């Protein structure tokens, strides 16, 4: 006897692989299970101001990219009269403005949208910088050495040394007060770490707060201990990345390089907003560095096409269930799915009315053709031409009457309608009108049920964002195809037996 084990293994494999792909999309790429969710977007504008001296000007501004905690969504710049390029330099990206001649007060603007994304990664340097000891004059050199000696005694590695140094510098002692007069906290801490042969670099970050204007960058220290690194805030002594801290410059380069001007300054304004998850993910996965099996990588035209195509398996599953388990009779196997696709384009009520008008009129015209004794190919061709003519005629009438919804019947699959009319006409001649009503009504019922499943917002979201769902649907179809029991509509045959048993 033939073993069913390979069949069930294939079904189980399809289900598990599909489920694994869906879980991977959800947990790795943060794609939500439910539609309507939103993503937090920070819009940050950098304003560059300087005084041009009438000579050629070139301004180079460090700009952020995708990084741990944030994904770059959009960036733009406003610079009337200036040329603008985004160039790669020292492992990072910079916006460069240039102009042949400028004088007086100048203002340049750069805007970036960053999505809060716990799964984001980015090009923050993880290679330790070269240790270069800076010569320090007295009495600051002695104060540094004394603070370093105290911190080294209470530390075990570079990370704990940095932590102890921050405690000493923020303690308010005599040495700490003296060193505070020498340099600000960020550069001072980097110099002291370099003096202790600890690789460290100074980064610039922006603390994001909704609605703030004219904000400045804050110093952040990146300290290395072998292959790993840790981030410290020299002002507060906090270890680790702070919440809503966007690293703006992370290559130890100047935030702004200016040639041909003076009195330059950069200020930042920011605004928090939310975007629907489908918009945010479309932009996120549109970035070329995202290697991900996602339809968001396709052009918008193809995305729109696949949004409809991926709904067909859901309609197919509905048809299989209603025909095999329930036992609904239809005219054609998967004609209801194509009709349901037309309903999505036309709306349900308009689609039902249009379908009934076209099929009803087509049956009347087809009854005349049956008296001509035409060959099948010629008869079907004539029916197709009639269907096209009817669709055109009803569209013109609907337009003249101001019923713009009626024009949408052009979305119906003409070949399928022609075959439906032909099959129902033959069925009428062979089985009678009762069977036509039964199969035609069954087709409409199945088409409506398939439409309700395919037009559901949750289903549309899952099919487009989780391609693994297609494998789960296939597994369900295979299982339904293995069903050999009674259909629900057949159980009525046992009603007399049930009545007899009750007596």
């Amino acid at each position: 006897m033939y073993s069913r084990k390979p069949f069930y293994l294939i079904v189980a494999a399809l289900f598990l692989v599909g489920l694994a792909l869906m879980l991977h999309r959800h947990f790795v790429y943060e794609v939500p299970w439910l539609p309507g969710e939103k993503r937090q977007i920070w819009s940050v504008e950098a304003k560059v101001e300087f005084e041009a001296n009438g000579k050629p000007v070139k301004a180079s501004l460090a700009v952020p990219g995708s990084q741990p905690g944030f994904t770059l969504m959009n960036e733009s710049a406003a610079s009337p009269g200036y040329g603008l390029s985004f160039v790669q330099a020292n492992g990072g990206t910079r916006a460069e403005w240039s102009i042949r001649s400028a004088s007086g007060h100048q203002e340049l603007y750069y805007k970036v949208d960053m999505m809060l994304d716990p799964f984001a990664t980015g090009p923050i340097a993880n290679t330790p910088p070269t240790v270069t000891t800076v010569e320090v004059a007295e009495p600051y050199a002695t104060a540094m050495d004394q603070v370093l000696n105290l911190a080294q005694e209470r530390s075990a590695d570079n990370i704990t040394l940095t932590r102890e140094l921050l405690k000493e510098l923020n303690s308010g002692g005599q040495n700490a007060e003296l060193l505070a007069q020498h340099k600000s906290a960020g550069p001072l801490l980097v110099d002291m770490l370099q003096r202790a042969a600890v690789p460290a670099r100074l980064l610039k970050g922006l603390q994001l707060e909704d609605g703030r204007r004219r904000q400045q960058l804050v110093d952040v220290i990146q300290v290395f201990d072998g292959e790993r690194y840790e981030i410290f805030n020299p002002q507060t002594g906090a270890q680790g990345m702070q919440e809503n801290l966007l690293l703006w410059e992370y290559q130890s380069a100047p935030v702004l390089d200016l040639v041909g001007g003076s009195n330059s300054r950069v200020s930042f304004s920011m605004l928090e907003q939310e975007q629907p998850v489908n918009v945010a993910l479309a932009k996120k996965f549109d970035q070329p560095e995202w290697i991900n099996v996602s339809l968001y990588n396709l052009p918008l035209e193809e995305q729109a096409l696949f949004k409809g195509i991926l709904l067909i398996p859901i309609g197919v599953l509905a048809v299989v269930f209603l025909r095999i388990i329930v036992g609904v009779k239809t005219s054609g196997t998967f004609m209801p799915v194509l009709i349901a696709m037309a309903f999505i384009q036309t709306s349900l009520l308009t689609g039902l009315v249009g379908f009934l008008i076209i099929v009803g009129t087509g049956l009347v015209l087809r009854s005349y053709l049956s008296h001509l004794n035409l060959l099948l190919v010629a008869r079907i061709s004539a029916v197709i031409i009639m269907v096209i003519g009817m669709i055109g005629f009803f569209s013109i009438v609907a337009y003249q009457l101001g019923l713009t919804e009626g024009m949408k019947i052009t979305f119906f699959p003409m070949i399928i309608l022609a075959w439906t009319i032909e099959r129902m006409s033959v069925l009428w001649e062979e089985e009678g009108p009762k069977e036509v009503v039964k199969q035609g009504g069954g087709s409409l019922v199945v088409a409506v049920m398939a439409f309700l499943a395919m037009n559901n917002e949750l289903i549309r979201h899952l099919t487009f964002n989780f391609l693994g769902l297609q494998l789960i649907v296939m597994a369900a179809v295979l299982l339904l195809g293995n069903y050999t029991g009674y259909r629900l509509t057949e159980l009525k045959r046992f009603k007399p037996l049930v009545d007899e048993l009750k007596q």
Side-chain angles (χ1 to χ4, degrees):
M1 184 177 178
Y2 177 71
S3 175
R4 303 294 293 174
K5 288 184 179 179
F7 170 78
Y8 290 115
L9 287 175
I10 292 174
V11 171
L14 288 172
F15 179 81
L16 292 176
V17 171
L19 181 62
L21 289 174
M22 294 179 68
L23 292 174
H24 178 265
R25 287 276 292 163
H26 176 69
F27 290 107
V28 175
Y29 292 101
E30 204 189 359
V31 180
W33 297 117
L34 300 176
E37 294 189 22
K38 297 181 181 294
R39 287 293 181 268
Q40 187 178 11
I41 307 291
W42 284 97
S43 295
V44 182
E45 183 181 74
K47 180 180 180 181
V48 179
E49 299 177 87
F50 60 92
E51 300 295 330
N53 54 22
K55 297 180 180 179
V57 174
K58 184 170 74 171
S60 176
L61 176 70
V63 297
S66 296
Q67 56 188 270
F70 294 92
T71 294
L72 174 65
M73 307 297 287
N74 289 313
E75 58 181 349
S76 59
S79 48
Y82 282 79
L84 173 66
S85 297
F86 291 95
V87 298
Q88 299 294 323
N90 300 322
T93 304
R94 301 185 71 88
E96 287 194 354
W97 290 272
S98 59
I99 192 171
R100 180 63 62 180
S101 178
S103 59
H105 184 73
Q106 303 291 307
E107 293 181 355
L108 307 175
Y109 293 90
Y110 167 81
K111 181 182 177 183
V112 63
D113 292 333
M114 305 293 290
M115 181 176 73
L116 207 61
D117 185 359
F119 299 99
T121 58
I124 296 179
N126 55 6
T127 303
T130 304
V131 176
T132 55
T133 305
V134 179
E135 294 294 332
V136 181
E138 294 293 350
Y140 305 111
T142 301
M144 282 186 179
D145 292 335
Q146 290 177 358
V147 173
L148 277 171
N149 289 335
L150 290 173
Q152 285 174 333
E153 291 175 0
R154 298 194 295 265
S155 65
D157 53 28
N158 294 348
I159 304 300
T160 55
L161 173 61
T162 306
R163 201 157 52 213
E164 294 302 320
L165 275 176
L166 285 170
K167 290 179 182 178
E168 288 295 326
L169 293 175
N170 294 326
S171 65
Q174 182 178 357
N175 287 329
E177 292 181 358
L178 178 63
L179 292 174
Q181 301 173 8
H182 175 58
K183 277 187 177 181
S184 59
L188 174 62
L189 181 59
V190 172
D191 287 351
M192 294 183 69
L193 290 171
Q194 296 277 8
R195 193 175 184 86
V198 175
R201 61 165 56 97
L202 181 67
L203 313 181
K204 294 289 186 178
L206 182 64
Q207 190 64 48
L208 300 175
E209 297 180 44
D210 187 27
R212 298 301 297 270
R213 301 172 61 248
R214 296 189 176 277
Q215 299 300 294
Q216 302 297 319
L217 297 177
V218 297
D219 291 336
V220 180
I221 308 301
Q222 185 183 28
V223 181
F224 289 85
D225 185 26
E227 295 183 355
R228 72 186 184 100
Y229 70 84
E230 190 59 86
I231 300 294
F232 289 88
N233 186 326
Q235 298 291 340
T236 63
Q239 179 178 344
M241 283 292 295
Q242 295 177 258
E243 185 179 1
N244 290 340
L245 179 66
L246 173 66
L247 294 181
W248 194 273
E249 200 292 311
Y250 34 82
Q251 304 296 333
S252 296
V255 174
L256 177 64
D257 275 335
L258 178 64
V259 177
S262 59
N263 298 327
S264 62
R265 57 190 177 277
V266 184
S267 60
F268 299 86
S269 302
M270 62 209 73
L271 186 67
E272 180 185 9
Q273 55 186 337
E274 291 185 335
Q275 284 188 354
V277 67
N278 60 328
V279 177
L281 292 179
K283 295 177 182 177
K284 173 178 176 177
F285 296 132
D286 188 52
Q287 302 299 322
E289 66 268 20
W290 284 90
I291 302 175
N292 178 33
V293 181
S294 169
L295 294 175
Y296 290 109
N297 295 328
L298 298 176
L300 289 178
E301 184 177 357
E302 278 69 25
Q303 288 187 39
L305 177 64
F306 272 101
K307 276 191 175 181
I309 292 176
L310 292 174
L311 292 173
I312 294 178
I314 303 299
V316 168
L317 179 61
V319 171
V320 171
F321 176 81
L322 291 172
R323 291 199 55 166
I324 295 179
I325 304 300
V326 180
V328 179
K329 290 186 177 181
T330 62
S331 177
T333 307
F334 292 108
M335 181 271 285
V337 178
L338 299 176
I339 299 301
M341 291 291 293
F343 287 168
I344 291 177
Q345 302 293 330
T346 62
S347 78
L348 182 58
L349 181 60
T350 303
L352 284 172
V353 173
F355 179 82
L356 292 174
I357 290 176
I358 293 174
V359 173
T361 307
L363 284 174
V364 173
L365 297 176
R366 169 62 179 76
S367 64
Y368 171 74
L369 293 178
S370 62
H371 298 294
L372 301 180
N373 295 324
L374 299 176
L375 295 176
L376 176 64
V377 175
R379 189 169 67 240
I380 287 294
S381 300
V383 173
I384 291 174
I385 295 172
M386 286 192 307
V387 168
I388 295 174
M390 285 187 292
I391 290 176
F393 174 76
F394 290 132
S395 296
I396 293 172
V397 171
Y399 178 76
Q400 294 293 337
L401 295 176
L403 303 175
T404 55
E405 287 291 319
M407 298 171 60
K408 294 181 179 180
I409 61 175
T410 54
F411 288 107
F412 277 110
M414 300 174 186
I415 306 299
I416 299 300
L417 284 179
W419 272 107
T420 299
I421 293 171
E422 174 66 20
R423 287 171 61 91
M424 287 186 175
S425 180
V426 173
L427 190 64
W428 188 300
E429 296 171 354
E430 295 179 353
E431 303 290 340
K434 182 178 180 181
E435 191 66 23
V436 171
V437 173
K438 183 184 295 185
Q439 291 193 16
S443 297
L444 276 182
V445 169
V446 174
V448 170
M449 298 301 293
F451 163 80
L452 294 176
M454 297 162 66
N455 201 45
N456 182 273
E457 185 180 2
L458 175 61
I459 296 298
R460 296 171 73 91
H461 170 78
L462 292 175
T463 54
F464 188 74
N465 290 285
F466 297 92
L467 295 181
L469 181 62
Q470 306 298 322
L471 299 180
I472 296 178
V473 171
M474 181 180 290
V477 168
L478 292 178
L479 278 179
L480 290 173
N482 196 44
Y483 178 75
T484 56
Y486 287 107
R487 295 174 173 85
L488 295 179
T489 53
E490 294 176 339
L491 297 179
K492 65 181 180 181
R493 294 185 302 170
F494 299 96
K495 189 176 184 300
L497 179 60
V498 173
D499 296 337
E500 183 179 341
L501 292 175
K502 287 182 179 179
Q503 296 176 359

